[in-house]
Amino acid sequence: MMDDLDLGFDEQDRGEKGKHRRGAVRKRKGGSGGGRGKTVLALLLALVLLGGIGGGAFYGFDRIQSYFVTPDYDGAGTGEVTVEIKQGALIADMADALVTAGVVKSAKAFIEAAEGNARSKNIQPGTYKLRKQMSGESAVTAMLDLKNRIVNGVTIPEGRTAKNVYKLLSEKTKIPVKDFEAAAKDPIARGVPDWWFKRSDNKKVKPSIEGFLYPDTYEIPPKATAESIIELMVENFLSVTQEMQFADRVQKERGGISPYEALIVASLAQAEAGNKDDLGKVARVAYNRVFGDFDCNCLEMDVTVNYYLESIGKPTKRSGDMTAAELDDPKNPYNRKLRGLVPTPINNPGKQAMEGAMDPPVGKWLFFVAIDKEGHSAFAETFPEHEKNMDKAREAGII
């Protein structure tokens, strides 16, 4: 089985760009060291006084201690709450807003954490997705993470093509679609490392932004350009895949498949799976068809045909409505009958689809069909088994 192979791909420099924005937030004067020293001294004096009064007075220690120890929660909190940080807010203003929303236990907890983090000056005004009952340190860390900040937000759903993404972005920002198309012509200039565009099947790669516009909710800055927005989405993709160890695990565990090929498979799974539970299984089918014992070593997935139709400005169709000429057009580089994987991803997959392509369940499935209205599919190793599953789908009114 291909999963047992390891061709020893060399890990290459990812070259991710680190971006930091300088905020307009100002901190209170004075460091935290002196304040902490005074707190410790005051606490020691209180202990001496209590000792002098006698052991019976220790009942009041907790009450006295609360005056000198910063009230704070432990950990990253629970649930979700949105908090607005207004333009020009100081650290103390932010702290007050967080206390009011139930995020931190005290303003002092957030202020001390901010004073201890040199990057806290990068906290920007806007609306943040946070949790309730966070420690001051966790709240600062969360507010420095761009994924938790929504001001002028636009949500890019999973599985949208680049053309569809440009349309959504244009509607939100009023930047023309053609500007996004022009900005995306050179993915490497927009931040995609060139090592991503490598394949193990020796097929020529023409770098495409497809697959790298990570689906998420994005804050669009007031003076954003098509280039800066695409770069923000690419940066998010690189951050998510690095956290997942996507490239490393694919190279080590997928029998020599390159990360780019696995990204293509993730996009296929995103398009074909009707339910998130089946993303990994659909990815396994794609691997089995192309690299296993499937007669043509081709995908035979109609979604690749629809991707081509959309790319040339034609409407997409249901499988049953596609003509034979459309299904098997020899001029179509995404022809479902061509050997191997298609030239590029066919959409921008989400994290779960990428996880499914990175670590698919073990199975020899070659066929699948949706069998219920929730989108769950039945998988089969042989065509006779597949025909039985298709009967189930017909009984359920799915096909």
Side-chain angles (χ1 to χ4, degrees):
M1 192 69 185
M2 65 182 178
D3 289 353
D4 297 328
L5 299 177
D6 185 356
L7 302 186
F9 280 64
D10 290 333
E11 185 174 351
Q12 304 189 35
D13 182 16
R14 279 133 179 81
E16 293 189 38
K17 299 187 293 183
K19 297 186 179 179
H20 301 281
R21 302 180 192 170
R22 189 170 184 83
V25 180
R26 301 183 301 279
K27 296 187 292 185
R28 285 181 170 177
K29 292 182 179 179
S32 59
R36 291 194 184 95
K38 292 177 180 178
T39 298
V40 172
L41 178 60
L43 189 56
L44 289 173
L45 290 172
L47 289 171
V48 171
L49 287 172
L50 285 171
I53 293 172
F58 252 85
Y59 79 94
F61 175 71
D62 285 340
R63 292 183 62 187
I64 294 175
Q65 183 187 42
S66 68
Y67 288 103
F68 305 110
V69 177
T70 301
D72 200 1
Y73 294 119
D74 291 325
T78 59
E80 185 173 296
V81 63
T82 58
V83 181
E84 181 184 4
I85 302 299
K86 295 183 178 180
Q87 190 72 35
L90 302 175
I91 289 293
D93 300 323
M94 297 180 188
D96 290 339
L98 295 175
V99 170
T100 300
V103 174
V104 296
K105 195 168 187 178
S106 68
K108 188 178 180 183
F110 181 79
I111 292 169
E112 288 184 352
E115 289 177 341
N117 189 325
R119 292 184 60 229
S120 65
K121 64 180 179 294
N122 295 323
I123 298 176
Q124 300 287 314
T127 302
Y128 289 82
K129 292 184 298 183
L130 301 172
R131 296 174 180 270
K132 290 192 173 184
Q133 298 187 356
M134 303 179 78
S135 68
E137 184 179 358
S138 294
V140 170
T141 300
M143 293 178 75
L144 287 169
D145 188 338
L146 290 178
K147 291 185 292 187
N148 295 321
R149 182 170 170 250
I150 305 172
V151 176
N152 185 22
V154 58
T155 298
I156 306 301
E158 297 170 344
R160 296 297 180 94
T161 63
K163 287 178 74 72
N164 195 276
V165 170
Y166 302 153
K167 183 179 179 181
L168 291 173
L169 292 172
S170 181
E171 290 172 353
K172 181 67 178 181
T173 65
K174 308 307 177 187
I175 298 172
V177 168
K178 63 182 179 62
D179 288 7
F180 288 104
E181 292 173 339
K185 282 185 177 179
D186 187 350
I188 295 173
R190 300 283 76 81
V192 181
D194 60 359
W195 61 262
W196 265 100
F197 298 108
K198 296 185 183 299
R199 299 178 65 130
S200 64
D201 59 7
N202 297 319
K203 285 190 177 183
K204 186 177 180 180
V205 179
K206 181 180 179 181
S208 167
I209 201 69
E210 197 75 76
F212 299 98
L213 302 175
Y214 186 73
D216 204 342
T217 298
Y218 292 90
E219 175 204 333
I220 308 300
K223 296 183 180 180
T225 63
E227 290 84 357
S228 67
I229 294 171
I230 289 177
E231 288 169 5
L232 178 64
M233 299 178 77
V234 169
E235 185 179 9
N236 197 12
F237 170 88
L238 296 174
S239 176
V240 170
T241 52
Q242 183 177 9
E243 184 180 345
M244 293 169 59
Q245 297 184 311
F246 182 85
D248 292 339
R249 289 193 59 188
V250 166
Q251 290 178 152
K252 291 177 183 177
E253 301 172 18
R254 293 278 63 78
I257 303 301
S258 75
Y260 190 58
E261 290 166 319
L263 183 61
I264 292 172
V265 169
S267 74
L268 296 168
Q270 189 76 74
E272 286 280 9
N275 189 286
K276 291 184 177 181
D277 296 340
D278 293 334
L279 286 166
K281 286 187 175 182
V282 174
R284 173 58 72 187
V285 169
Y287 285 131
N288 289 347
R289 288 185 180 182
V290 173
F291 302 105
D293 298 326
F294 202 47
D295 291 341
C296 64
N297 289 124
C298 59
L299 285 168
E300 280 202 345
M301 293 182 177
D302 298 343
V303 290
T304 65
V305 177
N306 263 330
Y307 180 73
Y308 176 68
L309 291 175
E310 182 181 345
S311 72
I312 61 175
K314 291 186 177 181
T316 57
K317 297 183 177 182
R318 288 168 50 89
S319 299
D321 297 330
M322 291 182 181
T323 66
E326 289 169 334
L327 287 170
D328 301 312
D329 181 0
K331 296 180 181 179
N332 176 5
Y334 295 83
N335 190 317
R336 66 190 189 127
K337 290 289 189 180
L338 292 177
R339 292 179 67 87
L341 291 172
V342 290
T344 69
I346 63 169
N347 57 48
N348 295 278
K351 185 176 181 180
Q352 286 181 289
M354 288 194 287
E355 287 173 339
M358 177 180 71
D359 186 22
V362 176
K364 297 181 179 180
W365 311 294
L366 292 172
F367 308 95
F368 63 96
V369 62
I371 57 171
D372 62 33
K373 293 182 180 179
E374 286 73 40
H376 292 98
S377 291
F379 293 78
E381 296 181 16
T382 67
F383 193 72
E385 292 174 351
H386 180 55
E387 286 183 314
K388 292 179 181 178
N389 290 334
M390 291 181 70
D391 289 338
K392 294 179 183 178
R394 292 187 186 96
E395 290 174 6
I398 306 301
I399 60 174

